Amino acid sequence: MLASFGLLLGGRAPQAQEARYLRIATGSAAGTYYPVGETIARLLSHPPGLPPCDAGAPCGVPGLVATAETSQGSVENVQAVATRAVETALAQADVVALAHAGKLFPDQPPLDNLRVIANLYRESMHLVARRDAGITSVKDLAGKRVSLDRAGSGTRGDALMILKAYGVATKRLTEVELGPSQSADALISGEIDAFFFLGGVPAAGVADIAPARQIVLIPINGPARERLLAEGRFFMAGFIPSGAYPTVMATETVDVGAQWICAAEASEALIHDITRTLFAPENAATLAAGHPRAATISLDGATAGIAVPLHPGAARFYQEKGISLPVTGPI
């Protein structure tokens, strides 16, 4: 029988060689969350029966079996963590904060037991268009068939904010609700003209369709971006560099943070252990080998852009490292 939940939520301490289980809800297999989650899961895992790690050698958490699971993304993930349907998850910083404050689901109480383990890396908004669609700016989306991602997704919420900043009403375009993989397929087949996707660079779903020279990235910049940065607490000026995707030019955009979250009820000892393991210097090479975004995970940005409380286990680790804790409050 899996012992994951009783152990994670502070049950009896595991006996020698008793397995502990930890799930990481991620996102679509076409996005960035899933490969990053897989990388973290591999790093954390050190199942019972394996020999103890040598000092200074790469190593996971003794007795821990961690796995990454696909999901519908940030919105589903915050709900799953808050209801303790899954132990940990990756989610957009804005979605986490809005859900915690009760502003993401107006008909539901705040998910105020959400806690952050770490800010992992920046995610960039990709506005991907067919090269022959005649789209060179966000304003050109008027009259086009555009996927804003699935209803209730974090990407869709940010896409709506971007459209509003550019003065493009959704009624002026043909809105389509497709996930990242389906959007990429629909774009190449000619069923849609453009789609929004928020993810770390490079994202598999974009990289897979870039080599055919059929796509362009549309910039999010200028006065409209300045309005987003001024009004949206979570947006940061971003830049997708040349070479990130074959045949695609460098593009200005907006970024938000990708955060690793858990419930307040999670075991302080276990959260401390997984945070310490994530940032152990000897494990940096494992992160770097797993995914380009995972390679950017570091203590330097671990507490950046956090608007909800840290989990006590993670906070204790950062204090041990002399890192200032973020000041959180109502949004």
Side-chain angles (χ1 to χ4, degrees):
M1 178 181 295
L2 299 188
S4 59
F5 228 56
L7 293 169
L8 184 65
L9 298 185
R12 63 184 179 84
Q15 299 173 354
Q17 298 304 303
E18 182 179 355
R20 296 183 288 176
Y21 295 86
L22 181 81
R23 294 165 294 178
I24 306 171
T26 60
S28 163
T32 307
Y33 280 5
Y34 183 67
V36 169
E38 275 198 317
T39 298
I40 294 173
R42 286 196 302 271
L43 183 153
L44 296 178
S45 292
H46 192 84
L50 291 182
C53 300
D54 295 330
C59 192
V61 178
L64 187 68
V65 178
T67 57
E69 300 181 351
T70 58
S71 78
Q72 295 299 310
S74 295
V75 173
E76 179 180 280
N77 290 352
V78 294
Q79 293 175 303
V81 166
T83 59
R84 300 188 290 286
V86 69
E87 291 82 28
T88 70
L90 306 186
Q92 295 170 212
D94 50 347
V95 172
V96 175
L98 291 170
H100 183 270
K103 297 182 178 180
L104 188 64
F105 310 108
D107 58 340
Q108 298 179 24
L111 304 183
D112 54 10
N113 67 332
L114 292 175
R115 296 293 183 269
V116 175
I117 301 171
N119 185 68
L120 299 178
Y121 58 86
R122 286 187 173 212
E123 296 185 280
S124 296
M125 180 59 80
H126 298 64
L127 177 49
V128 186
R130 280 202 344 270
R131 190 175 292 274
D132 61 359
I135 300 171
T136 60
S137 74
V138 175
K139 289 190 174 183
D140 292 334
L141 294 178
K144 304 295 185 180
R145 301 162 298 171
V146 185
S147 174
L148 307 185
D149 209 326
R150 293 173 293 260
S153 71
T155 295
R156 186 177 189 277
D158 290 341
L160 290 173
M161 292 180 66
I162 291 167
L163 291 172
K164 181 179 178 181
Y166 276 87
V168 179
T170 54
K171 65 183 180 182
R172 296 178 59 200
L173 50 86
T174 300
E175 183 181 341
V176 182
E177 295 182 358
L178 296 172
S181 297
Q182 295 79 14
S183 291
D185 291 342
L187 188 83
I188 295 304
S189 67
E191 297 173 57
I192 62 173
D193 302 303
F195 68 91
F196 286 88
F197 169 74
L198 184 73
V201 179
V206 179
D208 288 345
I209 62 176
R213 293 184 176 274
Q214 295 183 41
I215 69 165
V216 292
L217 291 181
I218 307 305
I220 301 169
N221 57 9
R225 184 168 76 166
E226 293 307 310
R227 286 192 291 273
L228 284 169
L229 300 180
E231 297 170 5
R233 177 170 176 178
F234 311 102
F235 285 122
M236 300 173 281
F239 184 78
I240 300 173
S242 177
Y245 302 104
T247 77
V248 176
M249 301 293 290
T251 308
E252 290 183 289
T253 188
V254 288
D255 292 347
V256 299
Q259 296 181 346
W260 190 17
I261 62 172
C262 64
E265 296 85 349
S267 160
E268 180 176 339
L270 182 55
I271 298 302
H272 180 272
D273 283 348
I274 64 176
T275 309
R276 172 182 51 77
T277 301
L278 177 68
F279 293 111
E282 59 268 25
N283 288 333
T286 301
L287 288 174
H291 189 274
R293 284 292 93 186
T296 68
I297 297 173
S298 72
L299 272 175
D300 290 342
T303 60
I306 295 176
V308 308
L310 286 165
H311 188 277
R316 176 159 62 89
F317 169 77
Y318 297 130
Q319 289 174 318
E320 291 167 354
K321 292 296 181 180
I323 295 173
S324 299
L325 302 184
V327 177
T328 61
I331 63 170

